[in-house]
Amino acid sequence: MLLSGPLAGCAESPGGACKLVWRADLPIEPRDNLIFVDVMFDGHPATLVMDTGAERTTLTETAVTRLRLRRDLRHPTNTVGIGGTSASYQALLDDFAIGVFHLPVERVAVGTFPLSEIGGIQADGLLGADILLAFDLDIDMPARRLTIYRARPCADSRPPWTVPYFSIEGVAMRRDRLVVPLTVNGADGRAVLDTGAQRTVIRPEFAARGGVTQAMLDADPSRTMRGASREAASFRLHRFDTIRIGTETAHGVPVPVARLPGGEEDALIGGDFLRARRIWLSAASHQVFFTAPAP
């Protein structure tokens, strides 16, 4: 993965590893609990969904054709989403830029799944954890700005904010994704911080540890959702007594309960928590900071 590969080479001398070093600053477009960002592939503009829950940056087949990228069909891979697993291949790049920052990335995955239009925006793919979590990220939802900094592997590093903020203790990295503690109805679990999920989703097994029985779920409303795959997934919308993330506790919140593919995590923390906040993500230092929601 790029966290330990070419992007790691963007770091400077060990003596200045904790210094805050700016890489890029660009606008973002929050729509329906997702974050859209404009990038450039081989000089052609594209729009991607910021998706820290996706292990790999992935383009759609339609985007590869529109951007006139070369295909590499010799190295097939699989893309895992809420609806299941989809086959994919790779596209070769001569240049990949986020703002003014050009990334040393020579190939990205190509998914054989469609991406639906969201809030009037048709995304060309997903900007995944292999790129995003190679940096420290300042995601300012109220100001609609994304600022990218060099990763700082320093336990005492803090965001350069003047506004009050909170931290999440016990952040870890698993399979190149940020995992944070989550408490549901008093039961402790682990959740992937997933900017590519419109809503927070809880596994049935985790809900059961919080006292939610199958009979209770059977009585809850049934809905469907779609992720990075061809198939839609069904879920039950259950109203939990308490949900705690970091220092914040919410009461009586309806949250989808659904089976999640792969991994050992108990839940996904999605855009319903992230919206209207300023978020600092640092995979290198295993830190997450966030502000209270803007009015």
Side-chain angles (χ1 to χ4, degrees):
M1 301 300 292
L2 292 175
L3 280 172
S4 57
L7 290 189
C10 295
E12 296 178 5
S13 63
C18 293
K19 182 180 178 181
L20 192 64
V21 178
W22 176 88
R23 293 300 190 196
D25 184 31
L26 61 159
I28 56 176
E29 185 63 39
R31 295 281 183 94
D32 293 349
N33 292 348
L34 293 177
I35 306 170
F36 295 87
V37 60
D38 291 333
V39 301
M40 299 287 286
F41 290 104
D42 292 356
H44 302 291
T47 300
L48 303 181
V49 176
M50 289 182 59
D51 191 350
T52 58
E55 292 185 44
R56 298 195 62 190
T57 296
T58 305
L59 294 175
T60 65
E61 290 183 302
T62 301
V64 171
T65 300
R66 182 181 67 80
L67 298 169
R68 300 179 181 178
L69 301 179
R70 293 167 293 147
R71 291 172 168 82
D72 180 4
L73 305 177
R74 299 170 300 171
H75 301 92
T77 59
N78 289 322
T79 300
V80 179
I82 286 177
T85 301
S86 299
S88 65
Y89 55 93
Q90 295 183 335
L92 303 178
L93 306 176
D94 294 322
D95 184 65
F96 180 15
I98 299 178
V100 299
F101 186 44
H102 294 263
L103 300 164
V105 177
E106 298 179 348
R107 59 181 64 229
V108 293
V110 182
T112 56
F113 54 85
L115 286 178
S116 302
E117 181 179 299
I118 300 291
I121 298 178
Q122 179 60 64
D124 294 302
L126 310 174
L127 184 60
D130 56 343
I131 302 294
L132 290 171
L133 298 187
F135 303 94
D136 286 356
L137 303 176
D138 181 356
I139 308 171
D140 192 341
M141 300 289 276
R144 300 188 174 212
R145 300 293 297 178
L146 169 66
T147 305
I148 300 174
Y149 296 93
R150 188 193 68 193
R152 293 183 296 170
C154 310
D156 60 347
S157 61
R158 294 292 183 270
W161 298 344
T162 57
V163 296
Y165 59 88
F166 312 94
S167 65
I168 298 180
E169 301 297 330
V171 177
M173 285 290 295
R174 294 182 185 173
R175 297 178 63 189
D176 294 312
R177 293 183 292 182
L178 277 170
V179 178
V180 303
L182 175 69
T183 302
V184 172
N185 289 357
D188 294 330
R190 309 286 294 178
V192 173
L193 192 61
D194 189 353
T195 61
Q198 290 177 289
R199 301 191 65 172
T200 296
V201 181
I202 293 173
R203 286 185 187 271
E205 298 83 357
F206 185 25
R209 300 205 305 269
V212 180
T213 66
Q214 186 60 51
M216 295 167 67
L217 290 177
D218 291 341
D220 288 329
S222 178
R223 302 284 188 270
T224 59
M225 57 186 169
R226 187 179 298 276
S229 69
R230 289 187 176 275
E231 303 300 327
S234 62
F235 66 87
R236 295 287 181 170
L237 191 63
H238 184 79
R239 190 175 295 275
F240 289 86
D241 295 333
T242 60
I243 294 181
R244 180 163 57 86
I245 302 172
T247 56
E248 287 201 4
T249 300
H251 301 273
V253 178
V255 176
V257 177
R259 301 199 176 278
L260 299 172
E264 301 177 354
E265 287 69 45
D266 299 299
L268 303 176
I269 295 177
D272 50 353
F273 172 76
L274 302 174
R275 67 184 178 189
R277 300 179 188 270
R278 192 171 183 180
I279 310 288
W280 179 274
L281 304 181
S282 176
S285 62
H286 293 188
Q287 291 179 314
V288 174
F289 301 96
F290 62 93
T291 65

